[in-house]
Amino acid sequence: MITVYADDHMLHSGLLDPRGDTWGPSAECPERANNIVRAIRDQGFGTLVEPKIFEESRLTRIHTPDYLQFLKDVWGEWLESDEKGANARPETFVGPGMRHADSDCIAGKLGRYSFDSTTPFVAGSWQAIRTSANIALTGADLLQGGKRQAFALCRPPGHHATESCCGGYCYLNNTALAVQSLLDSGATRVAVLDVDYHHGNGTQTIFYERNDVLTISLHADPRLEYPFFAGFADEPGTGAGHGFNINYPLPFGTNWENYEVVLGAALDEIRRLGPDALVVALGLDTFAGDPTTHFAIETGDFLKMGERIGSLSAPTLVVLEGGYSVEHIGENTVNFLAGLAGS
Ligand SMILES: [Zn+2]
C-alpha cells in the first residue's frame, strides 16, 4: 500500500466550531491527519510518497473557475474588508426566491459559495486545500500507473463540496477529482463507495446526471443527521445517470453486524457494474468512539470493512474523508487499509 501525504494540511489550522454560545477548536483539526501518518509510520505500513503538483486545469474538470478564484482570494479579501474574526466564514446564504448573484463584497461571496458555516478559511487554507487535491490526483495517477491500491491521506476532506460550494469541512471534492482523473486517462466506468458516516452529497450531485460513475453512499439517515437535505434512498440519479446513484441511509446505533449486510448489498452493485477502478471515500466517523456521531463500528471492525471491500479485487484508491476521534483515527485507518491490502 502506498500512502500519499504532505504536511501542508497543517497550514489549515486554528479553525473554530460553534460550542453553544461560544466557539471552540474545530473537530476537523490537524491532529487527525498527523495521527494517521504517525500510525502508518509506526507500524511500517507500506510506503509514503509526496504528492505531485498538478495544473489547475485538473481542478476545473470538476469545479467552476469562479469558485476556484473565490477559494484563492477569500482570505486576502477578508483581511481587506471590515469583517472581523480569526476565521472567514459566511453568515448569509442563498435561499428560495434569492439569486446566486455576483457579489462585490466578501460577506456576499462567502454566502454565495458556501452551503453552511462549518467550513471556515484561515491564511493557509488555500495551500492546504490545493495540496489535498494534489494528493488525491497523485493517488489516481498511481492507479493509472498500474498500482492496485493507494491511499490518499487528504486533509481537508472533500466529499461534501459541490462544483461551486464548500460545506461540511470540505472545499475541493478530492474524491470526485480522482474519479475524473481516472476517467480522463482511460477508465470507462468508475465506482465510488462512500463509507463516511455522513452522506457524500457533493460527490453525489457532481455525478448525478452521469452513467460513467456509480456513486454509492452508506451513511446516517439525513432525516436525523447532517447534511439533512440529501442522502435519502429515493435519489437514484437523473437523465443518463438514472440508476447510477444509490443511497443507504442507516439508523443511529448501526453496528458492524447491521452495517455488514448493507455493505454486502453495495458491493454486489459494484460487482454488477464491473468498474475499471473503485474510489473509496473513507470516513472513520462511523467509529463507536467518535465524539461527533452515532454509529457503533468498533476498531476491529474496520479491518473487516477493508477485507470486504478488498474482496472486489478492483484497482482501489482510498481517499480520506471524515473521522474525528483523534485518539483512535490512526489505528482505525491502518486497520481498514490492512484489511483492504490483505484480502
Ligand atoms: Zn463524516
Side-chain angles (χ1 to χ4, degrees):
M1 179 74 67
I2 298 176
T3 295
V4 190
Y5 172 77
D7 286 333
D8 279 8
H9 74 88
M10 287 194 273
L11 297 166
H12 188 54
S13 64
L15 311 178
L16 300 172
D17 268 351
R19 293 274 189 283
D21 292 333
T22 181
W23 297 89
S26 174
E28 206 294 279
C29 59
E31 289 75 21
R32 298 177 55 243
N34 290 343
N35 286 358
I36 293 172
V37 80
R38 184 177 302 123
I40 288 171
R41 285 190 175 121
D42 287 352
Q43 300 195 23
F45 186 77
T47 53
L48 281 163
V49 299
E50 293 263 337
K52 295 190 282 187
I53 295 172
F54 293 89
E55 299 284 326
E56 193 166 308
S57 59
R58 303 292 284 270
L59 306 183
T60 53
R61 294 291 291 137
I62 295 296
H63 296 283
T64 61
D66 57 314
Y67 177 56
L68 293 175
Q69 196 63 47
F70 160 75
L71 293 176
K72 280 185 242 179
D73 295 344
V74 55
W75 182 250
E77 292 189 23
W78 177 262
L79 289 182
E80 289 169 8
S81 73
D82 295 331
E83 304 293 334
K84 296 283 186 290
N87 288 186
R89 78 173 73 237
E91 292 182 348
T92 306
F93 299 97
V94 182
M98 301 168 81
R99 293 173 57 181
H100 275 91
D102 287 332
S103 180
D104 290 335
C105 68
I106 191 59
K109 290 180 184 176
L110 278 161
R112 175 181 173 168
Y113 292 113
S114 310
F115 66 82
D116 67 29
S117 60
T118 69
T119 312
F121 295 86
V122 295
S125 292
W126 172 242
Q127 178 66 38
I129 292 163
R130 188 76 169 82
T131 299
S132 191
N134 283 338
I135 287 171
L137 290 167
T138 302
D141 267 16
L142 287 168
L143 254 60
Q144 290 151 15
K147 298 293 181 201
R148 296 293 293 176
Q149 296 175 338
F151 175 43
L153 208 174
C154 294
R155 180 181 174 270
H159 73 147
H160 294 303
T162 68
E163 63 171 14
S164 61
C165 237
C166 57
Y169 303 145
C170 301
Y171 305 82
L172 295 179
N173 194 311
N174 306 312
T175 290
L177 288 165
V179 167
Q180 190 60 53
S181 179
L182 290 162
L183 291 166
D184 289 344
S185 61
T188 54
R189 285 174 301 191
V190 176
V192 176
L193 178 61
D194 190 322
V195 294
D196 189 279
Y197 170 83
H198 303 95
H199 175 243
N201 62 291
T203 315
Q204 169 174 305
T205 192
I206 285 167
F207 296 119
Y208 204 61
E209 298 179 16
R210 290 171 51 171
N211 60 8
D212 53 351
V213 183
L214 172 66
T215 46
I216 299 182
S217 182
L218 284 67
H219 50 264
D221 192 330
R223 284 179 299 178
L224 300 170
E225 186 56 274
Y226 186 93
F228 304 116
F229 312 115
F232 298 89
D234 61 348
E235 296 167 6
T238 188
H242 187 87
F244 285 83
N245 186 75
I246 305 172
N247 286 328
Y248 295 100
L250 301 169
F252 283 2
T254 293
N255 60 16
W256 174 247
E257 192 179 12
N258 310 128
Y259 194 93
E260 185 181 26
V261 175
V262 181
L263 179 63
L267 296 179
D268 285 344
E269 296 288 349
I270 295 170
R271 278 193 193 93
R272 203 166 296 140
L273 179 75
D276 301 312
L278 172 68
V279 178
V280 178
L282 175 66
L284 291 310
D285 43 6
T286 53
F287 176 49
D290 193 290
T292 66
T293 59
H294 304 280
F295 277 6
I297 306 294
E298 302 289 349
T299 291
D301 298 331
F302 286 103
L303 189 74
K304 300 176 207 165
M305 193 187 294
E307 285 172 353
R308 287 297 304 271
I309 295 170
S311 72
L312 290 172
S313 298
T316 301
L317 172 65
V318 180
V319 177
L320 181 65
E321 299 288 357
Y324 306 99
S325 170
V326 167
E327 185 184 351
H328 296 281
I329 194 169
E331 186 180 7
N332 291 342
T333 301
V334 171
N335 268 4
F336 178 89
L337 298 174
L340 186 76
S343 63

